Amino acid sequence: MPGLITALDISGSLDAKNIVMGVLEKGVELSNLISITTQCQAPELTGTITIASGGAVIEDLDELEYSDIESGEFTNVDFSLKKDRVKLVVSDESGYKSKAGDPLTIQKTAAGAQLGNVLDKKIIKALETTPQTHTTAGKWDTITNNPLADIGLAVDNILPYKADFVIMTPAVHAKYLANNFVKDVGQGNPAAMKGAVAKVPGVDLDIFINSQLTAASIMVGSSTGVCAALGNGPVRVRNWDDGSIGAKVYQMDVFRQAKAPIFLTSGNKNMSAYQITGVIT
């Protein structure tokens, strides 16, 4: 991915590398959820990354005062990456008929979109592993029930991390927009509803729409609190001329894994992810 995966991380011919980079860049552009993850390199596929937890901050030390390092101040993230495979095909016919353009352009965009969708699925699965959770106080499709009360409770429970996003299913998002409380905020303060599809007014959360989230639920989280980590591994690309079908084939294996939770509450739940269930009928 940009900033993490470069041509040096891709094994294969220069021609194949250029094609793969195009697919990976599209995959990043077309992923809805990659921005909420914390990315790191995992070149060996399996391994442990040790990161300091929030509790590692020791305050108000005097000059030359010693502080111990306690094992509880660090969190181990264990990665075991698997691969997502993409195949692109350039037939003999498309090569002859596409003198005015690249026959792989549309395929690269479509393959990137599929990689992005698969990555979003992995991120949702990681976030739903052990989030903090509660059932709604009132279903949002009853328009006099307040969605902001549910969302505010989730925001409060993520502290000391700052919540900055909420994921909704399409059905939940439709009921959210139709709710009287959300509409009243917009009427009383139109500026708060600027880009309403992208923000929750009052708490300034980015809204992401994803149908793979558990039905009738939402997920509030903090990207700065490492709600999920994305391990990016190597990319292997192969290409060959397949005479049996009359085409050149490009095959790429992308190794990656989304992991959560990273930091845990005293109840062993994700400190940076809070799921509210049953918000609509």
Side-chain angles (χ1 to χ4, degrees), residues 131-191:
Q132 302 175 67
T133 186
H134 82 271
T135 303
T136 181
K139 294 188 181 298
W140 299 1
D141 36 9
T142 299
I143 60 177
T144 52
N145 288 334
N146 190 353
L148 301 179
D150 278 333
I151 294 172
L153 177 61
V155 168
D156 292 343
N157 277 278
I158 287 174
L159 292 171
Y161 299 117
K162 182 182 183 299
D164 53 14
F165 72 85
V166 57
I167 306 171
M168 302 181 184
T169 65
V172 168
H173 185 239
K175 296 299 183 182
Y176 163 83
L177 290 178
N179 186 275
N180 279 355
F181 283 91
V182 176
K183 290 189 290 185
D184 288 345
V185 170
Q187 292 169 356
N189 180 16

Side-chain angles (χ1 to χ4, degrees), residues 87-146:
K87 285 187 177 181
L88 306 180
V89 178
V90 181
S91 68
D92 294 340
E93 290 82 358
S94 66
Y96 288 120
K97 294 177 181 179
S98 303
K99 297 304 182 185
D102 180 3
L104 282 174
T105 299
I106 295 176
Q107 285 194 63
K108 286 190 287 187
T109 300
Q114 292 177 37
L115 275 179
N117 289 337
V118 169
L119 178 57
D120 290 346
K121 180 180 179 181
K122 294 174 186 288
I123 294 170
I124 290 292
K125 183 178 179 181
L127 288 174
E128 289 196 316
T129 301
T130 51
Q132 302 175 67
T133 186
H134 82 271
T135 303
T136 181
K139 294 188 181 298
W140 299 1
D141 36 9
T142 299
I143 60 177
T144 52
N145 288 334
N146 190 353

